[in-house]
Amino acid sequence: MSVLEAPSQEQWDLEAHRIRIPSNAGPNQFASTSTSSSSASSDAKQGGFFYIPNFITEDEERFLSESILSAPKPKWKMLQNRRLQEWGGQIHAKNNTLMPQAMPDFLRTYPDLVTRLRNTHAFDAAQHGEPNHCLVNEYLAGQGIMPHEDGPAYFPAVATISLGSHTLLDLYRYVDEDLQKDFDERMKEHDQKTTQQSSVGTNEDAEENGSTKSPIVPKERVEGNVRIVRGARAREPSPVFSILQEPRSLLITTGDVYKSYLHGIAERKVDTPAHLAHVVNAELLSDPRLRAAVEEAKKNVGSDSQDAEGLERDTRLSLTFRDVEKVSKGVAAMMAFLQGGKR
Ligand SMILES: O=C(O)CCC(=O)C(=O)O
Ligand SMILES: [Fe+2]
């Protein structure tokens, strides 16, 4: 038992687990929150990506998977290409406030992940000093999540524990501010022109594309090295780097980088050497097989070597812990909190 309890007492030095971002992969000058794009400074408080392999034991991994998979069926929210559970309460989208529920024993008692995460100090500056909310995502091989930024309800720190399979988290950059302004202006001009011309029934884009269909700019399109999504900030179409997450590992994303990149998981069953070549945390990996595959892929970049095999993905559960800063203290919330532990 003492062996099982030991990790939760540990105080972590996050700086020793920092992922070094290549200098040409820094965020574009866009995020207003960004203090600097240089990654030279090495102060964990400044934020960044931090990777800790074997943050939980194999026994804990098994126990967590069993607990999650044995949750009552209604606990699963079915999405188009994955399913998820929400623990710690529900967030009201209108006011970004958590209607709290007690964390279940398998996150708070054995294993006591909440305390263990508190001891990483990633949440020191957050309202509660530790996470109060956990989303569990299940991805079958071939499933993923679109590039996105996490919502505004959270303190800017995410702690992700992976179970069952490795995956690659892909990081994308937004385009820089001038380019975005240019897109916005062109989009506006186009819309105005389209409105004026709609009664006449012609438009340039349709002619350019050899199509006479819709006069409306598509919701999403790629132009050169940029993916433009109507009504959203434009991003680069390919990831600027990827982070390999091993089963049982912890990935912490905190500070500026939380806002200056988008993150996603590609919908594929195999990570080929071409994908693995973009992994930036090779030297922090603990599984010799995974590490060798990444190192080999990086060595062979551009060499056209076809020998190396990819890494097959299996079903993966991810636990993403965050601190929702605003928590409802109403009577209903108190009742929910008291009943939350009982399933
Ligand atoms: O499963 C993961 O590792 C990422 C999940 C994620 O990005 C999210 O839930 O917002
Ligand atoms: Fe996310």
Side-chain angles (χ1 to χ4, degrees):
M1 203 60 189
S2 59
V3 172
L4 294 177
E5 280 165 7
S8 63
Q9 305 307 322
E10 202 164 325
Q11 298 289 324
W12 300 89
D13 170 21
L14 270 197
E15 203 45 61
H17 299 273
R18 177 184 288 278
I19 298 176
R20 303 275 154 205
I21 308 300
S23 54
N24 60 356
N28 284 326
Q29 304 289 322
F30 195 111
S32 53
T33 51
S34 182
T35 48
S36 157
S37 65
S38 102
S39 54
S41 169
S42 61
D43 178 3
K45 284 199 190 87
Q46 196 210 325
F49 299 98
F50 303 90
Y51 182 79
I52 304 180
N54 298 311
F55 186 70
I56 60 169
T57 65
E58 285 185 19
D59 281 346
E60 290 168 341
E61 179 187 32
R62 210 171 302 122
F63 181 76
L64 283 164
S65 299
E66 281 167 14
S67 304
I68 291 163
L69 295 175
S70 64
K73 229 176 165 195
K75 190 71 196 169
W76 286 108
K77 189 170 168 191
M78 309 303 288
L79 303 180
Q80 211 175 20
N81 204 11
R82 73 198 146 90
R83 55 179 188 163
L84 68 84
Q85 295 178 6
E86 189 171 17
W87 295 100
Q90 288 193 335
I91 301 171
H92 276 238
K94 251 195 206 156
N95 53 8
N96 291 326
T97 301
L98 180 71
M99 293 295 282
Q101 283 197 325
M103 282 282 192
D105 284 348
F106 66 86
L107 298 179
R108 175 88 256 188
T109 308
Y110 175 78
D112 184 358
L113 295 178
V114 175
T115 303
R116 210 176 296 176
L117 290 171
R118 169 184 273 274
N119 292 343
T120 66
H121 302 289
F123 294 90
D124 279 4
Q127 186 71 22
H128 305 97
E130 63 182 31
N132 59 6
H133 190 253
C134 177
L135 279 180
V136 175
N137 281 291
E138 183 193 59
Y139 306 88
L140 306 179
Q143 295 187 324
I145 185 167
M146 290 279 289
H148 65 281
E149 211 185 292
D150 291 343
Y154 308 110
F155 172 79
V158 198
T160 307
I161 294 175
S162 299
L163 314 177
S165 174
H166 85 279
T167 200
L168 257 57
L169 185 76
D170 298 324
L171 284 303
Y172 298 81
R173 292 194 290 206
Y174 290 107
V175 300
D176 72 27
E177 199 164 5
D178 290 344
L179 212 49
Q180 179 74 51
K181 271 195 197 133
D182 183 49
F183 289 135
D184 290 346
E185 261 160 41
R186 276 167 42 202
M187 200 82 91
K188 214 162 103 193
E189 270 170 30
H190 175 95
D191 287 352
Q192 280 165 356
K193 229 192 279 171
T194 306
T195 319
Q196 284 162 12
Q197 290 176 347
S198 57
S199 53
V200 188
T202 68
N203 82 83
E204 277 173 31
D205 281 7
E207 280 164 20
E208 266 172 33
N209 297 338
S211 147
T212 49
K213 269 192 176 165
S214 166
I216 293 169
V217 176
K219 187 168 181 325
E220 194 167 324
R221 71 186 197 278
V222 173
E223 220 180 72
N225 192 30
V226 182
R227 177 173 297 274
I228 305 159
V229 181
R230 182 172 273 277
R233 282 160 61 184
R235 67 164 169 85
E236 296 176 350
S238 312
V240 64
F241 60 87
S242 301
I243 294 172
L244 192 149
Q245 294 172 272
E246 295 165 293
R248 298 182 295 288
S249 69
L250 170 69
L251 174 68
I252 289 175
T253 305
T254 175
D256 281 1
V257 299
Y258 182 93
K259 287 224 162 290
S260 45
Y261 296 97
L262 298 119
H263 57 279
I265 295 171
E267 295 182 342
R268 60 175 179 250
K269 292 185 173 165
V270 179
D271 296 306
T272 67
H275 300 127
L276 297 175
H278 290 111
V279 168
V280 290
N281 60 324
E283 70 274 21
L284 295 170
L285 299 175
S286 84
D287 180 332
R289 185 181 70 95
L290 298 179
R291 189 172 169 153
V294 173
E295 283 171 351
E296 187 72 5
K298 287 171 106 55
K299 216 167 59 195
N300 293 333
V301 169
S303 75
D304 228 25
S305 157
Q306 300 294 318
D307 319 339
E309 287 193 9
L311 294 175
E312 271 188 41
R313 292 186 189 172
D314 205 335
T315 299
R316 169 175 175 264
L317 291 168
S318 74
L319 288 70
T320 45
F321 290 87
R322 303 179 181 87
D323 182 28
V324 185
E325 306 240 66
K326 286 196 268 174
V327 177
S328 171
K329 293 195 175 65
V331 175
M334 191 55 75
M335 292 302 290
F337 182 82
L338 292 171
Q339 288 163 8
K342 299 174 196 146
R343 295 197 274 119

